[in-house]
Amino acid sequence: MGERTLTSMVEAADLVSAALRLVGEGHPVLPLQTPGPAGCSCADPDCTRAGKHPRGGYGLRHASRDPAAVTAWWHTWPTANLGMRCDGLLVFDVDGDQGEESLGQFEYELGPLPTTRAQRTGDGRHLIFTTSRPLGNSTGPLGNPAGLDLRGGRRGYIAYTPSLHHSGRRYQLIDERPSARLPVEWQERLDTAGVARTQIEVDLWADPNAFTRYGRAALSSELGRFLTAQPGGRNTALCLSAFRIGQLVAGGQIPYTQAAGELEVYAGLVGLPANEAAGVIRRAFQAAASYPRSPH
Ligand SMILES: [Zn+2]
């Protein structure tokens, strides 16, 4: 086994165990894309969020606290970056010297922030606090401070240690203690300015309109049918299910990436190798493209 293979296996084990630790602490997690020398794993040459947006069509709504789902995701995508949704949290995303300067000005005004769980990012750090009331993603109430962003609540997420940053560095915890409560002065400043109502980052990656009602129901029943396949017939079942699901994609009933992603995860759950499953699904979707299925 080459050194490179060994390294990536170690990294994969680290990622899934970090994900399961977060789940154990009650945080929902989701698989993110991975940055590489050739760009983002999403394969979009124009991707501007390399390694920072969700995988396989999974959006923030699908973030999970279920260890089985989390294990299946990293079985399917062993090097997927680890996303943590910010339910009950507020994260200060402090970018570089400018961010530190902005943060210092607010600490002067509102009082110092307590030491808390923190991680190094590409060029700065994340400070992670718990909140007494939900806050969203915004910097509005703080003005528009240079180098300082907030991520919070069910519409916010961050890449978490040991995810890979596109700079080639890994996110790294610099303080592992449990997150401290956001001081009341800070909470009130953000509350009164209505941060909870002015969420600026919309969940673009899980557009519920991309599924029709028919498509969602048909996909669920097809995935259910696939799971009941007997051990000897799973490859055949995957081909059949992928073809039928591909027909729904062709019919405009469900989005391609999400449908493929969900079937890949189910294939992983029954023990089919991820690479093979992805190839079978891709070919079946191609074959099904001429046979669209829709309710009419
Ligand atoms: Zn991308």
Side-chain angles (χ1 to χ4, degrees), residues 51-288:
K52 291 186 176 178
H53 63 109
R55 281 245 180 194
Y58 284 90
L60 285 178
R61 285 184 307 135
H62 301 92
S64 179
R65 295 186 179 94
D66 175 3
V70 169
T71 305
W73 282 334
W74 270 272
H75 179 83
T76 306
W77 302 294
T79 61
N81 268 352
L82 168 57
M84 176 176 75
R85 201 172 67 186
C86 298
D87 303 43
L89 301 175
L90 187 72
V91 179
F92 290 83
D93 181 0
V94 188
D95 199 19
D97 293 341
Q98 265 199 326
E100 294 294 344
E101 198 173 307
S102 297
L103 187 66
Q105 283 170 10
F106 287 109
E107 288 194 292
Y108 180 76
E109 183 187 339
L110 297 170
L113 289 167
T115 49
T116 189
R117 182 171 298 187
Q119 64 177 358
R120 193 189 70 197
T121 62
D123 185 31
R125 55 189 183 130
H126 282 154
L127 305 176
I128 305 170
F129 293 95
T130 62
T131 57
S132 50
R133 287 180 296 281
L135 297 170
N137 301 309
S138 180
T139 48
L142 298 179
N144 203 4
L148 191 58
D149 274 320
L150 305 185
R151 303 260 169 268
R154 291 170 54 81
R155 283 175 177 271
Y157 70 97
I158 56 170
Y160 195 84
T161 304
S163 295
L164 187 61
H165 188 266
H166 62 77
S167 63
R169 301 175 81 183
R170 284 190 177 275
Y171 290 80
Q172 189 177 0
L173 279 172
I174 47 184
D175 196 327
E176 299 195 35
R177 80 187 70 213
S179 296
R181 178 61 61 93
L182 185 70
V184 65
E185 296 79 8
W186 288 77
Q187 175 96 32
E188 280 174 357
R189 169 70 172 264
L190 295 166
D191 271 349
T192 50
V195 125
R197 294 188 299 277
T198 59
Q199 294 161 335
I200 55 169
E201 184 157 323
V202 183
D203 179 9
L204 293 171
W205 304 288
D207 181 5
N209 299 323
F211 285 90
T212 64
R213 186 187 296 253
Y214 170 81
R216 172 41 82 189
L219 176 61
S220 297
S221 89
E222 195 56 54
L223 291 171
R225 177 160 29 174
F226 171 68
L227 276 187
T228 63
Q230 295 305 305
R234 281 173 180 154
N235 281 309
T236 313
L238 179 64
C239 292
L240 279 173
S241 289
F243 185 82
R244 293 201 196 98
I245 291 171
Q247 289 182 290
L248 295 168
V249 173
Q253 303 300 310
I254 54 177
Y256 182 105
T257 49
Q258 181 133 355
E262 293 203 14
L263 186 53
E264 273 178 53
V265 166
Y266 276 70
L269 277 176
V270 302
L272 295 174
N275 288 346
E276 277 177 41
V280 167
I281 293 165
R282 199 176 53 245
R283 287 189 297 276
F285 276 25
Q286 278 166 7

Side-chain angles (χ1 to χ4, degrees), residues 18-64:
L20 291 170
R21 261 200 311 280
L22 285 180
V23 164
E25 292 178 341
H27 300 294
V29 303
L30 72 163
L32 304 180
Q33 303 284 349
T34 310
C40 183
S41 56
C42 72
D44 174 358
D46 299 321
C47 178
T48 56
R49 296 174 53 80
K52 291 186 176 178
H53 63 109
R55 281 245 180 194
Y58 284 90
L60 285 178
R61 285 184 307 135
H62 301 92
S64 179

